């Protein structure tokens, strides 16, 4: 069997439009010697997946890829090694993932669910048809900014230095015709997304699409957001054809039906790869401590000035965070959101990390003791 594709320039390889490069060729070389062929997963459905190979698309079974480990389940965006032929075809293994976007399966469990892999850009879609939900956006950003460390949880040799770049797309910008109002909305989002590009876009007027098209033309991008955020419409606009089914969102709340039911990898005509995803009802954090810290970097910086190093920013004397709230520098909403995400992430991590569980238990005991002491002191004053 010839392995000429291993040395061919990435630009001339049939899989180059899907992101194949010299690094993937090097990662695949050992599997090539076993007679396997490379491919990229473009869709997963009921234990099978659609894979694009150098010879075209194939349907493959995923039974050989550790199905009981949710972090190892074949996902849209994966590069895989599969049988050279046969019926049925089988995916034999996954190539080490560079990145993965992972969320918690539910608030009651500690398993993660991989939504997309080997991504370079994470586009969080937020509809301007309804009032901005800044708390939800902060949650999405925390997950997006933790996606590279989330990939490292897989423990299979990922490039720890590769980190996807998040950006926020304010979709349906044509519904906000007043330039001043739109500018204020962009400013509100920029205030909670430090260092993240915020781009108003409209599939109706074309606003912002040239900029977004330039961003996604290099590498693999994933569209994330709730139903009705305009992800599939945006994908169709970039593709120049109606590939993804869409339905109108309800006027009352801007929500739409889950017309996209699977994650689909699409090659864009002007370069780049786009993964469209179903609308997300729930976005549970999964080991997103680094992302939470980055999204709320101003609170983390303020915390370094607190009198006590373990300050919980509740009622402690000398708390710089509470001082910033009192001075109007930090909003109470922002602090509440930070507390909520920190607590949630700690609960998820504690389910698999004994040290974190011990720290949380110790903190509960300390607060309980302080509460009992305060009650006793109050009773003493009353007497």
């Amino acid at each position: 069997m010839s392995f000429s594709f291993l040395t061919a320039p990435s630009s001339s390889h049939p899989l180059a439009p899907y992101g194949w490069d010299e690094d993937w060729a090097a990662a695949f070389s050992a599997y090539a010697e076993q007679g396997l062929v490379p491919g990229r997963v473009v869709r997963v459905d009921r234990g099978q997946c659609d894979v694009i190979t150098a010879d075209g698309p194939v349907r493959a079974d995923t039974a050989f890829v550790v199905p009981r480990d949710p972090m190892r389940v074949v996902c849209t965006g994966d590069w895989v090694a599969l049988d050279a032929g046969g019926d049925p075809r089988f995916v034999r293994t996954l190539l080490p993932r560079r990145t993965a976007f992972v969320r918690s399966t539910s608030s009651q469990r500690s398993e993660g669910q991989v939504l997309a892999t080997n991504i370079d850009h994470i586009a969080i879609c937020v509809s301007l048809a309804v009032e901005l939900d800044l708390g939800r956006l902060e949650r999405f950003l925390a997950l997006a900014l933790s996606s590279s460390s989330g990939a490292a949880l897989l423990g299979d040799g990922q490039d720890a230095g590769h980190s996807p770049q998040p950006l926020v797309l304010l979709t349906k910008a044509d519904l906000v015709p007043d330039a001043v109002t739109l500018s204020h909305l962009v400013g509100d989002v920029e205030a909670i997304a430090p260092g993240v590009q915020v781009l108003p876009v409209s599939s109706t007027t074309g606003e912002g699409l040239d900029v977004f098209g330039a961003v996604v033309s290099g590498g693999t991008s994933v569209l994330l957001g709730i139903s009705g955020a305009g992800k599939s419409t945006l994908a169709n606009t970039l593709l120049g054809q109606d590939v993804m089914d869409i339905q109108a969102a309800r006027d009352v709340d801007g929500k739409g039906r889950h017309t996209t039911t699977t994650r689909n990898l699409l090659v864009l005509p002007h370069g780049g790869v786009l993964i469209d995803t179903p609308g997300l009802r729930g976005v549970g954090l999964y080991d997103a401590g680094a992302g939470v810290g980055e999204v709320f970097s101003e609170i983390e910086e303020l915390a370094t000035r607190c009198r006590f190093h373990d300050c919980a920013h509740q009622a402690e004397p000398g708390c710089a965070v509470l001082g910033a709230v009192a001075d109007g520098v930090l909003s109470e909403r922002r602090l509440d959101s930070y507390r909520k995400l920190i607590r949630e992430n700690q609960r998820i991590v504690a389910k698999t990390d004994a040290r974190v569980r011990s720290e949380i238990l110790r903190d509960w005991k300390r607060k309980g003791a302080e509460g009992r002491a305060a009650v006793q002191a109050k009773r003493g004053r009353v007497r």
Side-chain angles (χ1 to χ4, degrees), residues 59-75:
R59 186 75 167 164
D61 196 296
T62 64
F64 283 93
V65 185
V66 198
R68 289 186 178 86
D69 183 353
M71 300 296 284
R72 292 288 302 174
V73 170
V74 175
C75 182

Side-chain angles (χ1 to χ4, degrees), residues 39 48 99 126 139 148 208 211 214 222 250 276 291-292 300 325 367 374:
Q48 293 189 316
T99 58
V126 180
R139 177 179 293 271
S148 58
V211 177
V222 60
R250 296 194 301 252
D276 189 21
V292 173
E300 298 267 302
V325 173
K367 290 180 179 178

Side-chain angles (χ1 to χ4, degrees), residues 9-20:
S10 60
S11 60
S12 63
H13 191 272
L15 290 177
Y18 290 85
W20 184 262

Side-chain angles (χ1 to χ4, degrees), residues 123-285:
I124 303 170
C125 299
V126 180
S127 173
L128 291 179
V130 293
E131 185 176 354
L132 287 176
D133 187 336
L134 297 179
R136 179 190 290 132
L137 179 54
E138 286 164 342
R139 177 179 293 271
F140 270 105
L141 284 167
L143 274 175
L145 290 166
S146 298
S147 56
S148 58
S149 59
L153 293 172
L154 297 174
D156 54 4
Q158 294 85 346
D159 177 7
H162 189 94
S163 179
Q165 297 299 309
L167 69 155
V168 177
L169 299 179
L170 300 180
T171 64
K172 307 181 183 181
D174 55 287
L175 299 181
V176 187
D178 181 66
V180 174
T181 301
L182 182 59
S183 176
H184 284 314
L185 291 171
V186 172
D188 288 343
V189 174
E190 288 177 336
I192 67 164
V196 175
Q197 183 178 9
V198 180
L199 182 64
V201 297
S202 170
S203 297
T204 300
T205 66
E207 179 181 357
L209 294 184
D210 54 343
V211 177
F212 181 54
V215 171
V216 300
S217 65
T220 299
S221 306
V222 60
L223 297 176
L224 297 171
I226 66 171
S227 295
K231 300 184 300 299
S232 294
T233 301
L234 184 59
N236 285 338
T237 303
L238 292 176
L239 289 164
Q241 55 183 316
D242 292 337
V243 174
M244 307 304 299
D245 293 332
I246 58 174
Q247 290 184 355
R250 296 194 301 252
D251 292 334
V252 64
D253 56 10
K255 293 182 179 179
R257 295 180 181 178
H258 292 275
T259 49
T260 301
T261 56
T262 59
R263 294 179 284 277
N264 301 275
L265 187 147
L266 311 162
V267 174
L268 298 174
H270 300 296
V273 176
L274 189 68
I275 299 177
D276 189 21
T277 64
L280 299 176
R281 290 189 180 94
V283 190
L285 299 185

